[in-house]
Amino acid sequence: RIAVFWAVLFPLNIVFAVDYYISTNGDNKDSGTSPDHAWENFNNVNPRTFNPGDRILLRRGDSWYQPLRLKGSGDASNPCVLSAYGSGDKPKIIRNDITSDKCIYMLNVQGWEISELHLSTALVGIFIQCWDNHTHNYFHIHDIYCENMNHYDTTHAFGKGILLVTSNYPSTVIRNVKI
């Protein structure tokens, strides 16, 4: 009786971290929560909001020709993770080399570790945009290979491997960034 009373007064809001696997041999109708039941592409990832500790793992040796949008936040002690699994070459995200192309796009998030990826043929490899008048903490990015991050207009070429942008609100801040 006391336990029931306690549970009603103080309900637990426990969220368990989940590993999501992406493989070009996968199936988007599967659960995505094991290498044997991996998703095929980013169609299930892009609309999903991730929780602290969740990991999105791309199979080494595979390539995707679509952008990856990451939503949700972790923190320094329990970050969301985007990385690779398996053996072989780093997984590739390849775009179309047009002005607006980004391999990975993140808006108003924090608490992410990104590693072990090959990003190619876009204006920006990883674009982190903090646009909401808050402090955004903890972005650790390492072992990223960016190539062909170019866009040519009539006068010059430009492109960025990793770009962090804040709004012009004075209280929008990005802290604890390690690249």
Side-chain angles (χ1 to χ4, degrees):
R1 237 176 208 200
I2 293 173
V4 171
F5 175 75
W6 186 262
V8 170
L9 277 182
F10 304 102
L12 295 176
N13 220 2
I14 298 173
V15 177
F16 294 99
V18 178
D19 289 347
Y20 296 96
Y21 295 85
I22 319 297
S23 164
T24 55
N25 293 332
D27 185 339
N28 286 338
K29 293 176 185 169
D30 273 338
S31 66
T33 56
S34 74
D36 292 334
H37 297 282
W39 289 328
E40 177 184 10
N41 54 40
F42 305 147
N43 291 354
N44 290 333
V45 176
N46 287 342
R48 186 173 301 270
T49 300
F50 294 97
N51 295 305
D54 284 353
R55 298 188 315 158
I56 302 105
L57 303 169
L58 309 181
R59 190 174 78 174
R60 290 180 171 277
D62 287 356
S63 298
W64 293 270
Y65 296 87
Q66 67 181 123
L68 177 59
R69 180 176 174 134
L70 299 175
K71 295 188 284 187
S73 293
D75 56 46
S77 64
N78 202 15
C80 296
V81 173
L82 172 65
S83 193
Y85 77 95
S87 59
D89 293 335
K90 290 178 180 176
K92 292 182 182 181
I93 301 174
I94 302 166
R95 296 303 299 127
N96 299 314
D97 197 23
I98 60 173
T99 303
S100 61
D101 264 347
K102 301 159 194 74
C103 293
I104 300 169
Y105 177 68
M106 306 166 78
L107 175 64
N108 297 330
V109 301
Q110 66 179 345
W112 278 87
E113 290 183 5
I114 303 173
S115 65
E116 300 295 324
L117 302 174
H118 180 153
L119 308 175
S120 179
T121 321
L123 177 64
V124 180
I126 300 172
F127 186 25
I128 301 170
Q129 188 174 16
C130 298
W131 217 251
D132 63 353
N133 208 19
H134 291 91
T135 296
H136 299 269
N137 191 35
Y138 194 83
F139 295 96
H140 287 202
I141 302 170
H142 60 92
D143 295 318
I144 302 294
Y145 180 75
C146 293
E147 69 174 347
N148 298 326
M149 295 297 161
N150 298 313
H151 174 72
Y152 296 93
D153 66 15
T154 56
T155 59
H156 62 283
F158 56 93
K160 293 140 187 80
I162 300 169
L163 179 62
L164 288 86
V165 177
T166 65
S167 69
N168 56 2
Y169 294 115
S171 61
T172 301
V173 178
I174 300 175
R175 292 190 177 146
N176 196 359
V177 176
K178 185 187 216 180
I179 300 175

